[in-house]
Amino acid sequence: MRLDSKYFDRIRTRRKREQETEQAPPTCQWDGCDKKGVHRAPVGRNAEGQFFLFCFEHVKEYNKGYNYFSGLSDGEIARYQKEAITGHRPTWTVGVNKAAKDSPLHSDIRSGAYSRVRDPFGFVSGAKGSGPRFPEQRKLKSLEAKAFDTMGLQASATSAEIKTRYKELVKKHHPDANGGDRGSEERFRAVIQAYQLLKQNGFC
């Protein structure tokens, strides 16, 4: 734009805004004090985020006598301090599932030594009356399989069947019943060992 242009004189700059006058700080809220109240002091319990404004001398005086727990009994103060440890959030006691301590070890379940697993919520057995969701199967170790074979039983034999079979074999192969036959005596010992193994592993 040329300086001698007819449009040049029409250009006007905006008038500068007058600076806003700064507000004076509030006066001290202490009774009878006219000083500036620039120091904050908490109002008290159940008024978090609210503050009094005092001058330096009176905020010191206020803080000397300030007690957050004023008006509370010793029991209420102890309860507040206890809840403050967890941030006043609800907590639960350890060991809510008390049945867990009576449950079998995971290793016993895998080995088949514990054939009946507690299932209070029906995750394995399903709804009541619907029967098991999966057929129960025992994973036998080699010694357990040999013990069942020695007693002439299937791996699915119940505890009552194992005990009944044990009594039959003991009567049959007892040395007194066979006139001291050495072959029968070895069989008798094998039956006893097999039964003890099955008993130790929870089969009977």
Side-chain angles (χ1 to χ4, degrees):
M1 174 184 287
R2 295 181 303 168
L3 295 178
D4 58 349
S5 172
K6 62 180 179 178
Y7 301 108
F8 186 77
D9 292 335
R10 295 182 182 180
I11 299 174
R12 296 287 183 268
T13 59
R14 291 183 180 178
R15 185 176 296 178
K16 291 183 179 180
R17 292 183 180 177
E18 296 180 359
Q19 294 182 352
E20 297 179 359
T21 57
E22 295 182 0
Q23 293 183 354
T27 56
C28 178
Q29 290 181 307
W30 196 274
D31 289 340
C33 181
D34 295 330
K35 295 182 180 179
K36 296 178 181 179
V38 293
H39 300 283
R40 298 193 308 174
V43 172
R45 187 167 38 88
N46 298 327
E48 283 76 7
Q50 299 178 20
F51 300 94
F52 292 122
L53 294 174
F54 295 123
C55 62
F56 182 70
E57 288 77 13
H58 288 139
V59 78
K60 286 196 303 182
E61 192 69 24
Y62 179 83
N63 287 337
K64 284 180 183 178
Y66 178 75
N67 183 7
Y68 183 80
F69 298 107
S70 62
L72 294 180
S73 65
D74 292 341
E76 291 173 328
I77 294 172
R79 179 181 176 185
Y80 181 90
Q81 291 173 337
K82 183 178 179 182
E83 292 176 352
I85 295 173
T86 58
H88 302 281
R89 293 187 298 271
T91 58
W92 293 266
T93 55
V94 178
V96 173
N97 187 8
K98 295 181 179 179
K101 66 179 182 180
D102 299 326
S103 299
L105 297 175
H106 183 66
S107 58
D108 292 341
I109 297 173
R110 291 188 60 191
S111 66
Y114 195 95
S115 59
R116 298 180 63 191
V117 179
R118 287 182 178 84
D119 184 25
F121 300 107
F123 293 125
V124 177
S125 59
K128 292 183 179 180
S130 61
R133 291 167 62 183
F134 306 102
E136 295 183 4
Q137 295 181 353
R138 291 179 177 174
K139 295 181 179 179
L140 300 180
K141 297 179 181 178
S142 58
L143 290 177
E144 294 169 351
K146 185 177 180 181
F148 275 107
D149 187 50
T150 300
M151 299 188 71
L153 293 171
Q154 299 291 328
S156 58
T158 63
S159 175
E161 291 173 349
I162 293 173
K163 291 178 181 178
T164 303
R165 182 63 174 165
Y166 171 69
K167 291 177 181 179
E168 292 174 359
L169 292 174
V170 166
K171 288 180 182 179
K172 181 178 179 182
H173 297 290
H174 196 277
D176 293 341
N178 291 285
D181 184 11
R182 300 294 296 177
S184 183
E185 185 177 348
E186 291 178 3
R187 173 74 173 151
F188 176 74
R189 290 177 182 173
V191 168
I192 292 176
Q193 290 178 354
Y195 178 76
Q196 288 177 348
L197 177 69
L198 295 177
K199 188 175 182 180
Q200 287 176 354
N201 290 336
F203 287 94
C204 58

